[in-house]
Amino acid sequence: MNAIKILVVEDEVIVAEDIAGRLKKLGYIVTATVVSGEEALEKVAEERPDLVLMDIVLKGNMDGITTAEQIRTKVDVPTVFLTAYADEKTLQRAKLTNPFGYIIKPFQQHDLRVAIEIALHRHEIEAKMRESLKASEATREWVEEKSYRQNQYISMAAHELRNPLNAILISAELLQLDRDRSNDEAQVRTLRLVNSATKKMNQLIDDMLFMGRAESGKLKSHPLPINLVEFCQDLLDQLQLGNEAKHKLKFIPSDVTSAILDQQLLHCIISNLIVNAIKYSPSGGQVSLELQYSQAGDGDKEPIFCFSRECLFPNTQCTNINYPLLIIRIQDEGIGIPETEVGKIFEMFYRCKNTEKIKGNGLGLTIVKKAVDLQGGAIGCESKIGVGTNFTVVLPYVALSSKNHR
Ligand code: ATP
Ligand code: MG
């Protein structure tokens, strides 16, 4: 065990030297002996002793009690008072500083040792108690946050599932009514409504399940070899098929064709971002998906990748990355995101003010962010109202093999 470091604050130099000598004999380290409160504060800050032995009566502007009070508010170092006499008023003042012990002068070496050891022990126990209180407080907050989120899920799911479910119910009734009239056109319209309502419910259930698995830590990345170009082209083709607003979906592949990535997470990222790009831009607008490969950076050179405006997330280290990256850009010419809201779009259920008329649950980007995080990547967004939005995802790039990764 390391020797205990003690600061002695005593304005009688001879007494101070005597105490220091006794402490050394007992095996303690005396960091310094000082004669005033001001010096004591300086030494405590500089040397962080394990304990301060403090004479109550000190010459100068600060007595021992005021000094102990200031030490207590600044650092977590226990104080033991040394006193030759103690009137009631002084004792009451001393008590307020929560001292860890008193030694009445004159004292025996043994008394000194007992007072110091008890003070250190008490200080250690109090620190442990504070730690466990902090830990239980953190656990309580975590449990509360978790149950709050669960309640949010449940009420949101109930609310959002009710609309499509009602649509299905009404459609079923209409179909029943139309049965005898055999109005084909009306029936097709109604069936389309059922189809879209069911799809919406399905999507919401999928999103909730994804979030549930992510929150409980059950969702993991399972990277496997993937042909990036084919994967993106297929995904764009699927989205183009379901895109009634006839946006132009443009693919700008890089010369990287293959990588090792989690296909499901990648699908989740790209599809959510493209669906948003389509949803929040006018019919016929262009949405582009661009892939880029970036070599490992050199620490001395310019960063190989940096979000051009600002890092949206403080934990995103986008400078001096020294491993290869896959950069995915999804760009639209849509309504844009208000500047003041860009920092909130990845929060669960957050929807921007300018999208009130367009339906959504505010879950897509939360899912995207989780999927990016799970793969050790980062995401950023640049947007201008009325001009468009550009999402950039960077993922660590693992090549399939040195021969075929480019
Ligand atoms: P859903 O859960 O169905 O995806 P959503 O699209 O509203 O619903 P997110 O995808 O999480 O939810 O997006 C959050 C918000 O960010 C959106 O409501 C919208 O206000 C804004 N947003 C996202 N992408 C774009 C975009 N490309 N252009 C403009 N606004 C966007
Ligand atoms: Mg969305």
Side-chain angles (χ1 to χ4, degrees):
M1 215 177 94
N2 287 342
I4 308 292
K5 295 183 289 175
I6 298 179
L7 171 71
V8 178
V9 190
E10 166 64 70
D11 59 353
E12 296 291 343
V13 177
I14 296 172
V15 180
E17 274 173 13
D18 172 53
I19 296 172
R22 295 206 219 181
L23 289 172
K24 283 176 197 159
K25 268 193 204 142
L26 288 168
Y28 300 116
I29 294 174
V30 177
T31 56
T33 55
V34 295
V35 296
S36 70
E38 288 82 355
E39 277 178 289
L41 290 177
E42 264 174 40
K43 288 286 176 199
V44 166
E46 265 171 41
E47 289 165 359
R48 285 298 165 104
D50 298 305
L51 184 134
V52 179
L53 270 182
M54 175 86 70
D55 189 9
I56 287 187
V57 183
L58 292 175
K59 290 184 195 111
N61 295 331
M62 290 165 77
D63 70 359
I65 297 174
T66 314
T67 312
E69 177 61 30
Q70 294 210 14
I71 291 175
R72 195 172 72 102
T73 54
K74 287 184 185 140
V75 285
D76 183 27
V77 176
T79 303
V80 170
F81 284 125
L82 291 166
T83 178
Y85 62 88
D87 57 72
E88 190 54 29
K89 204 169 144 216
T90 311
L91 268 180
Q92 287 309 324
R93 273 185 64 219
K95 260 206 259 175
L96 292 177
T97 66
N98 191 24
F100 283 78
Y102 296 88
I103 304 175
I104 310 289
K105 296 189 221 171
F107 50 81
Q108 301 294 313
Q109 194 144 309
H110 174 72
D111 301 333
L112 191 60
R113 185 188 187 101
V114 169
I116 290 171
E117 292 304 320
I118 288 180
L120 289 171
H121 184 62
R122 207 187 113 197
H123 180 250
E124 194 185 341
I125 287 178
E126 285 189 8
K128 278 187 185 150
M129 274 167 63
R130 274 201 305 274
E131 285 278 297
S132 55
L133 264 176
K134 230 200 255 169
S136 61
E137 180 62 15
T139 313
R140 192 185 59 78
E141 276 172 18
W142 182 80
V143 170
E144 273 180 8
E145 163 77 11
K146 195 123 186 124
S147 83
Y148 171 74
R149 273 170 184 269
Q150 269 166 0
N151 285 342
Q152 256 193 322
Y153 282 152
I154 293 165
S155 48
M156 201 216 78
H159 180 258
E160 293 303 322
L161 287 173
R162 198 182 299 134
N163 288 342
L165 206 57
N166 277 342
I168 294 171
L169 270 177
I170 294 167
S171 307
E173 280 166 15
L174 284 175
L175 282 175
Q176 180 86 15
L177 282 174
D178 279 347
R179 200 179 45 184
D180 305 329
R181 286 183 242 147
S182 70
N183 179 346
D184 275 0
E185 209 182 302
Q187 284 189 3
V188 168
R189 251 201 335 265
T190 314
L191 282 172
R192 211 181 286 147
L193 205 71
V194 172
N195 197 10
S196 124
T198 317
K199 269 194 193 151
K200 243 183 229 159
M201 286 171 68
N202 234 349
Q203 182 61 51
L204 182 60
I205 290 167
D206 281 352
D207 286 355
M208 305 295 286
L209 287 174
F210 182 99
M211 286 308 296
R213 282 169 60 219
E215 296 270 306
S216 63
K218 284 189 188 136
L219 197 66
K220 299 262 157 27
S221 169
H222 297 293
L224 287 172
I226 164 176
N227 184 319
L228 270 175
V229 175
E230 269 177 23
F231 176 87
C232 291
Q233 194 59 65
D234 288 354
L235 183 49
L236 280 181
D237 290 347
Q238 276 169 34
L239 291 166
Q240 186 78 73
L241 269 180
N243 169 26
E244 283 160 15
K246 302 289 169 244
H247 289 77
K248 290 179 216 87
L249 304 189
K250 187 176 165 195
F251 182 33
I252 311 165
S254 73
D255 49 353
V256 183
T257 51
S258 309
I260 298 182
L261 285 166
D262 184 308
Q263 201 156 323
Q264 230 183 334
L265 295 176
L266 189 64
H267 185 280
C268 177
I269 295 169
I270 300 179
S271 62
N272 267 300
L273 292 175
I274 293 183
V275 166
N276 276 354
I278 293 173
K279 186 156 81 164
Y280 300 114
S281 55
S283 313
Q286 177 166 289
V287 169
S288 65
L289 162 64
E290 184 183 354
L291 295 183
Q292 248 181 296
Y293 166 79
S294 182
Q295 293 272 14
D298 177 336
D300 298 331
K301 286 190 192 152
E302 281 290 290
I304 50 161
F305 177 80
C306 189
F307 297 135
S308 44
R309 185 150 47 125
E310 59 184 338
C311 248
L312 289 177
F313 304 100
N315 59 354
T316 305
Q317 296 296 322
C318 59
T319 52
N320 297 327
I321 294 172
N322 58 5
Y323 45 83
L325 294 169
L326 174 68
I327 303 169
I328 305 167
R329 281 206 178 86
I330 285 134
Q331 202 159 358
D332 65 54
E333 300 164 341
I335 59 171
I337 298 172
E339 206 176 332
T340 50
E341 295 182 77
V342 171
K344 299 183 187 158
I345 53 175
F346 297 96
E347 286 171 16
M348 205 188 288
F349 307 129
Y350 192 83
R351 307 210 65 233
C352 300
K353 307 252 177 329
N354 63 337
T355 49
E356 269 161 6
K357 290 197 186 116
I358 307 167
K359 290 212 165 110
N361 300 316
L363 271 177
L365 288 182
T366 315
I367 288 173
V368 168
K369 175 82 171 70
K370 288 257 180 234
V372 170
D373 288 349
L374 277 169
Q375 297 177 89
I379 180 165
C381 168
E382 271 189 302
S383 187
K384 209 167 178 134
I385 289 288
V387 177
T389 302
N390 179 2
F391 277 94
T392 305
V393 174
V394 261
L395 298 175
Y397 177 77
V398 183
L400 210 51
S401 80
S402 54
K403 259 189 269 159
N404 62 0
H405 82 274
R406 302 212 69 199

